Amino acid sequence: MHDKPPKGPATAADPTTDDTALGTLLAAAHQRCRQAFNRGLRAAGIEARHFAVLRGLAQHGPVSQRELIELLDVDKSAMVRIIDDLERQGLAERRRAVHDRRAYAVRLTTEGEQRLAALQEIAVPIGRELFGWLAPKDRERLVTTLRQLACKPAR
């Protein structure tokens, strides 16, 4: 059976009727998840932001930094720092793009692929702890709602 979700952070208003309170609650949920992943991945010398880029490269790479920025919706300067960190650890590398000598394609190294597999072993139980209590219908509804929210263009 599924455990009940933990009580949420205190808000000044009711997030079921106040959009600002809903945004605050969503930000608190994001922060809690990020902290949990960072705690779990810290021993492996990786942060959640590095892990996200490694996964993005595994799924979409090799890709240009610009494409990676768009795919993962990460700030340009933050992406440069993340890729620099991954290169220093030997997990990713930049190479001149075949189609454009001015651009670089970023790809996982063999060590990066191996490390990502090990990091997945760390991340799976963290994700299970964070989300495993959700009933399948609730999880499906949450994913659908978050996708809609993430993909809805800003006005």
Side-chain angles (χ1 to χ4, degrees), residues 95-107:
R95 288 197 177 164
R96 291 277 183 203
V98 176
H99 64 281
D100 183 351
R101 292 182 302 136
R102 297 167 296 167
Y104 286 91
V106 184
R107 71 172 197 87

Side-chain angles (χ1 to χ4, degrees), residues 16-53:
T16 61
T17 58
D18 183 299
D19 292 339
T20 303
L22 180 57
T24 301
L25 182 59
L26 185 58
H30 171 262
Q31 184 67 16
R32 178 174 181 260
C33 293
R34 186 178 254 338
Q35 287 173 346
F37 278 104
N38 278 333
R39 264 192 313 275
L41 297 170
R42 188 174 297 127
I46 292 288
E47 295 175 8
R49 62 194 182 116
H50 299 107
F51 181 67
V53 171

Side-chain angles (χ1 to χ4, degrees), residues 22-101:
L22 180 57
T24 301
L25 182 59
L26 185 58
H30 171 262
Q31 184 67 16
R32 178 174 181 260
C33 293
R34 186 178 254 338
Q35 287 173 346
F37 278 104
N38 278 333
R39 264 192 313 275
L41 297 170
R42 188 174 297 127
I46 292 288
E47 295 175 8
R49 62 194 182 116
H50 299 107
F51 181 67
V53 171
L54 289 171
R55 288 185 70 178
L57 287 171
Q59 184 177 1
H60 303 287
V63 294
S64 71
Q65 283 184 200
R66 180 177 292 143
E67 289 172 297
L68 198 54
I69 287 165
E70 290 175 17
L71 286 166
L72 301 178
D73 195 23
V74 173
D75 176 76
K76 181 181 177 181
S77 59
M79 182 62 76
V80 169
R81 288 190 303 272
I82 293 167
I83 294 171
D84 286 347
D85 291 345
L86 295 174
E87 276 192 313
R88 273 192 293 280
Q89 293 187 41
L91 305 178
E93 65 182 5
R94 293 174 178 100
R95 288 197 177 164
R96 291 277 183 203
V98 176
H99 64 281
D100 183 351
R101 292 182 302 136

